[in-house]
Amino acid sequence: QVQLVESGGGLVQAGGSLRLSCAASGRTFSSYAMGWFRQAPGKEREFVAAIIWSSGDTYYADSVKGRFTISRDIAKNTVYLQMNSLKPEDTAVYYCAADAISYPFIMVVTEYDYWGQGTQVTVSS
């Protein structure tokens, strides 16, 4: 059973940085993609970034390109989301997701079967 545990959320001022972590367990992830999604109050869950576990290829939503960086540590089975130049509109619950899928499906919420519990990110103005 795949388990994903996020950490690293918190409160930060606009322009600041946070790094989210997603510790994955339960299987070998060599054929998987790992994604970060976010959901703000009253809004649908949206794609933020994804990484192909085997190749390290990365994909980003236009709204975070150039500010956020997704990466993975294969030895630790952990995916990271480094978030810089944060804006109040980045405020949301951030979720880690995993599944054996490839581009372009890695940007689609409904394509992922495995999800973490979420971590709150709040950016104050």
Side-chain angles (χ1 to χ4, degrees):
Q1 181 70 14
V2 173
Q3 289 189 320
L4 305 172
V5 180
E6 301 102 332
S7 61
L11 173 64
V12 65
Q13 288 187 332
S17 298
L18 282 174
R19 188 177 81 156
L20 306 183
S21 300
C22 173
S25 62
R27 63 156 295 132
T28 301
F29 293 94
S30 56
S31 62
Y32 271 48
M34 310 291 286
W36 285 99
F37 292 78
R38 67 187 181 186
Q39 188 165 18
K43 295 188 176 182
E44 293 187 351
R45 194 169 297 189
E46 65 175 6
F47 171 74
V48 175
I51 187 166
I52 305 299
W53 192 264
S54 57
S55 66
D57 290 344
T58 58
Y59 303 86
Y60 297 93
D62 288 343
S63 58
V64 306
K65 205 170 291 184
R67 299 188 298 123
F68 291 11
T69 302
I70 188 171
S71 61
R72 87 261 192 257
D73 185 324
I74 295 174
K76 294 182 178 180
N77 260 14
T78 299
V79 176
Y80 303 99
L81 185 67
Q82 178 67 44
M83 305 185 295
N84 299 328
S85 302
L86 282 161
K87 304 175 182 179
E89 51 263 45
D90 294 318
T91 295
V93 177
Y94 283 70
Y95 297 90
C96 177
D99 216 320
I101 53 178
S102 58
Y103 181 85
F105 305 104
I106 58 176
M107 298 186 291
V108 180
V109 171
T110 54
E111 293 292 329
Y112 288 85
D113 282 339
Y114 304 107
W115 292 86
Q117 81 286 356
T119 185
Q120 176 71 46
V121 171
T122 303
V123 184
S124 63
S125 57

